[in-house]
Amino acid sequence: MSETTIETPTKKKKSGGRPSTLRLLLNNTLATAGLVVLAFVFVVALAAPLLPLVNPDVTEPANRLQPLFADGHLLGTDALGRDILSRLIWGTRVSLAVGVSATLIAAFIGSLIGLVAGYAGGRTDNLLMRGIDMIMAFPYILLALAIVAALGPGLLNALYAIAVVNIPFFARNIRGITVGLSRREFVDAARLSGKSNASILFGEILPNVLPVIIITMSTTIGWMILETAGLSFLGLGAQPPQADLGSMLGDGRKILFTAPHVSIIPGVMIFILVMSINLLGDGVRDVLDPRLKSGALARPVMRTAVMRDQVPDIAPQEDATLDMQGLKTEFHVGSDVYKAVGGVDLKVRQGECLGLVGESGSGKSVTAMSIMGLVPTPPGRIVGGAALLEGEDLFSKSDEEIRLLRGLAVSHVFQDPLSTLHPLFTIGDQLVEAIRAHQVISHKDAMARAEELLKTVRIPNPAERLKVYPHELSGGMRQRVCIAMALANDVKLIIADEPTTALDVTVQAQVLSLLNKLRQERNVGILFITHDFGVVSTMCDRIAVMYGGKIVETGTTEEILSSPAHPYTEKLIACVPVLGEPDRRLDAIEGRPPVVNALPDGCAFAERCPYAKDDCRKGDLALTDLGEGRTVRCLYPVSGDKAKQGECDV
Amino acid sequence: MGAYVAKRLLAAIPVLFGLSIIVFVIMALIPGDPALAILGSFATPENVAKLNQDLGLDKPMVQQYFIWLGNMLQGDFGRSYTLNRPVIDEVLERFSATLILAGPALVLCSIFGLLAGVISAVKQYSWADKGLTFTVLIGISMPSFWLGLLLIFSFAVKWRLFPPSGMYAIYGGGDLPDLIHHLTLPAITLAVVATGVIARLTRTSMLEVLRQDYIRTARAKGIKERRVIYVHAFKAAMVSVIPVIGIQAGFVLGGAVYIETVFQWPGIGSMLVKAISTRDLLLVQGGVLVVAAAYVLFNLLVDVIQSILDPRLR
């Protein structure tokens, strides 16, 4: 490990993050407004000694309680005849100074505790964090009160008290991040290179933790200004003649009925200050917290948006359960358009299993999820093509019609059964719900039906299993439950999106043979999505291979496995280990799948294809018919024999 | 379930223990001679020495702590020198008044916070969402003591709809309608900030949950979208909202310090403020301990509710 590798993570952040951060922040109108107001208040407060203001502490009993806009006193005077405007600006100065100092103290001590606890781990971590928990066990302001009670009222003591009670927020946030970072490679590398713990902590980890410290500061500083003002309001902070906004408010309270402006004005100032800080803080958090970037938190609606320029006219075919033609699905993120699916045709006949095969990112899942509108919108949208279910175009149907078909005519089995089952409902409840969504049936009968379903998928003790929660089952059992759920009604098509990828190999085989058996018994069509040719060979009648959002080859399973025509298919098959052939070399396909917002001209696979020629990179390639239901999208299809001979190195 | 509750109860013991240590240490931080502080600057040295002995302050710290803790556990919190009555009596009386104020405030902020958060999430990016999000931001940026003053000025002084202060009317009051009449303004004031915090969190966690795989599964089953949102998503979102309601209980109890002062509510908050300014430290110590202990027990209750909701925690 050299120095350069160690430095990369920190450097990347600096060069990549900085310029765009401010720009992103300024794109947010509210945050900009907050920034402008806050900057104005700061400048005025800092310039207070230079401004032509009356001395804030000079009393003038003859001029007491002047109203707003009085002569020489723009905001009037208080009970002792002091100029409110002058006191307001000087008070803001004090409040800001106290709030900012308290934040810095809390951030410094809290971050230090968090860094040390997270980095040291073990007993140090335990001891420090238990102490932090103790502080957090107090109702926030109560602990501050106890500290002020012990130290005695006064602005400085209030500052300390507020800083102390805010330490836990920093300690906990920073510790969480530090624990994660301490296990990263660049920290190991620094350790191996002989750096001291202190220099790793402050040289390597701190720069990466800084954004979190800033986020925490921006979310707590407004709060701290409020709380110090509060203590002063109660008479426990600033003591006369010194005044901050809180104590001004507290003084004015006594004459609220006769001269409300004396207390209302400092309150408005606190409010403006805190509001602008919060607006800015929210903006900063949105920019620095990657989770919230690019509308990642946008709520997906119930069905994928369909925005087709024209509705293709397709003649319904007798034997097809599903007939999809020219499907185009895109993701619109900001100004980028990701063409995940670029014109896909698929056909699943009654009782047939069609395997849709490809690497991650080839668009196979998006194709499958488009059928019943389960691609999240935003950002997804279907922009072209049609999907005919028994002759009727699904994309032309209303949301309610689609809802009624989901689970009744077409059901889904998803990849990870732990995340796809609701963690807070029992298996029984979830099965009953699937049944009663489409059948008018009593809860009791539905329960009996659910038990039968569990029996169908060969789950032992079905009656007891109805009462358990998903996390109490093994992965294989959970996936059986998902299959049972897919069979809850008399479906015609099951869309299985990598249903065995998350399972152990032995469990995989059981689940596959179960699906196969059910398909034959019930004559259900299956659209089976996978990246695994081993699985394909045991399950599927026909195969469609996808690459870069397009189908590159179709045919029967035997034909494709024995003589793949597309170089990509050939490569995929070569990656599957075969029992009894220990000499076979297993190679990953070199390179990566294309990025779908910048698809190349011509064949998308040309970049990685060993046989690619110049004309492969021009124009749109058509799917050519090889006869007997076989098609391939390639100018130079390979003869089928090479793959069998185990020639899979490039 | 019973085992879980027992486990949580046991886990609360060291926390309560820690609380008492922190309070003890803070009280030991008091600069100068406590006996001198109690007796005033004109005390004779003999009196100071005697009081030190009476208070056990001549013993080592650790021993002092255990004597102190022993007294606490027997309900002996000492005597308030300003009120000349046992601290525990005063504290319990005042704390019940605080609960009458804080309880309804917590209920209010939970109801309105959840409501606003769910509406915001379901109608994401609509005018309702923008309006609510902005209102919530105003709510959490406002000093609650100032909001209290504004409400008193408008609703009590100008329009005379509610009494400006106190818990009961001095003449002829004392019944429930009278209490509710007095409670309305302070409870609303106290609830505002917490409502905002809960609303924000509910919105975020609803949005986060609605992107989960099990929501897609629910939709794939063909159940009604209303059920997807208000049963599936809401229940899952509550898992992260409920602990925050527990934390907000602490902010509501703390915020009561301001609100009780503004509305002259005879609760523990206004008692503490007065006790601090009169340096009645035994009263401060007793008040802080009782409220903190109650808060720990309340969070225990929140944990139990949480485990009922989320079977993975049991």
Side-chain angles (χ1 to χ4, degrees), chain A residues 241-264:
Chain A
Q242 191 184 36
D244 70 349
L245 294 171
S247 64
M248 285 175 70
L249 187 48
D251 290 344
R253 180 169 81 90
K254 293 155 203 149
I255 45 169
L256 175 69
F257 298 164
T258 48
H261 67 285
V262 179
S263 51
I264 289 177

Side-chain angles (χ1 to χ4, degrees), chain A residues 54-60 78 80-83 86-87 90-91 239-243:
Chain A
V54 192
N55 184 332
D57 297 328
V58 166
T59 58
E60 208 181 326
D78 69 1
L80 297 173
R82 295 174 294 195
D83 182 61
S86 169
R87 288 179 69 72
W90 283 94
Q239 301 296 315
Q242 191 184 36

Side-chain angles (χ1 to χ4, degrees), chain A residues 30 131 134-143 145-153 169 223 226-227 229-231 233-234 236 249 253 256-257 260 263-265 267-268 270-271 274-275 278-279 282 285 291 295-302 369 374 403 406-407 410-412 414 419-425 430-431 433-434 437-438 469 471 485 497, chain B residues 14-15 18-19 22-23 26-27 29-31 121-122 124-125 134 137-138 140-143 145-146 149-150 152-153 157 164 193 200 204 207-208 210-211 213-214 216-217 219-225 227 229 231-233 235-236 239 250-251 253-255 257-258 261-262 264 272-273 276-277 279 281 284 287-288 291-292 295-296 309-312 314:
Chain A
L30 286 177
M134 290 302 163
I135 296 181
M136 291 200 88
F138 280 94
Y140 189 73
I141 204 67
L142 211 64
L143 185 60
L145 277 185
I147 295 171
V148 172
L151 300 179
F169 295 105
W223 208 206
L226 268 185
E227 296 303 340
L231 288 179
F233 169 79
L234 295 174
L236 306 175
L249 187 48
R253 180 169 81 90
L256 175 69
F257 298 164
S263 51
I264 289 177
I265 290 170
V268 171
I270 300 176
F271 171 62
V274 177
M275 181 85 180
N278 284 344
L279 283 173
D282 283 1
R285 196 199 51 206
R291 231 173 21 133
L297 260 187
R299 175 177 92 89
V301 294
M302 74 158 290
M369 290 305 116
L374 289 174
R403 179 181 78 75
R406 285 176 180 173
V410 181
S411 61
H412 295 77
F414 299 106
S419 64
T420 51
L421 288 170
H422 199 298
L424 308 182
F425 291 99
Q430 300 192 46
L431 283 169
E433 195 177 38
H438 301 288
Y469 290 91
H471 72 276
M485 207 142 73
D497 187 1
Chain B
V15 177
L19 286 185
I22 290 181
V23 171
I26 290 175
M27 290 301 145
L29 281 180
I30 298 169
V122 171
Q124 196 190 9
Y125 301 139
F134 199 69
L137 200 64
I138 291 178
I140 60 176
S141 304
M142 211 181 286
F145 38 93
W146 179 65
L149 290 181
L150 289 184
I152 291 176
F153 187 70
V157 178
V193 176
R200 281 186 137 200
T204 328
L207 289 176
E208 216 151 87
L210 280 166
R211 302 159 39 79
D213 285 351
Y214 50 80
R216 185 183 58 182
T217 309
R219 286 178 171 151
K221 284 199 276 192
I223 58 181
K224 291 201 175 79
E225 183 66 7
R227 192 172 159 80
I229 290 172
V231 178
H232 285 244
K235 191 170 182 183
V239 169
F251 284 89
L253 276 177
V257 174
Y258 304 128
T261 307
V262 170
Q264 291 166 32
L272 283 173
V273 174
I276 291 173
S277 48
R279 309 279 302 149
L281 293 172
V284 175
V288 170
V291 177
Y295 177 53
V296 169
L309 184 73
D310 189 347
R312 289 167 298 182
R314 277 175 231 156

Side-chain angles (χ1 to χ4, degrees), chain A residues 361-376:
Chain A
S362 59
K364 55 193 194 307
S365 279
V366 178
T367 303
M369 290 305 116
S370 296
I371 298 170
M372 295 311 286
L374 289 174
V375 174

Side-chain angles (χ1 to χ4, degrees), chain A residues 78-98:
Chain A
D78 69 1
L80 297 173
R82 295 174 294 195
D83 182 61
I84 292 183
L85 178 65
S86 169
R87 288 179 69 72
L88 188 73
I89 292 174
W90 283 94
T92 305
R93 219 172 127 89
V94 176
S95 282
L96 270 177
V98 172

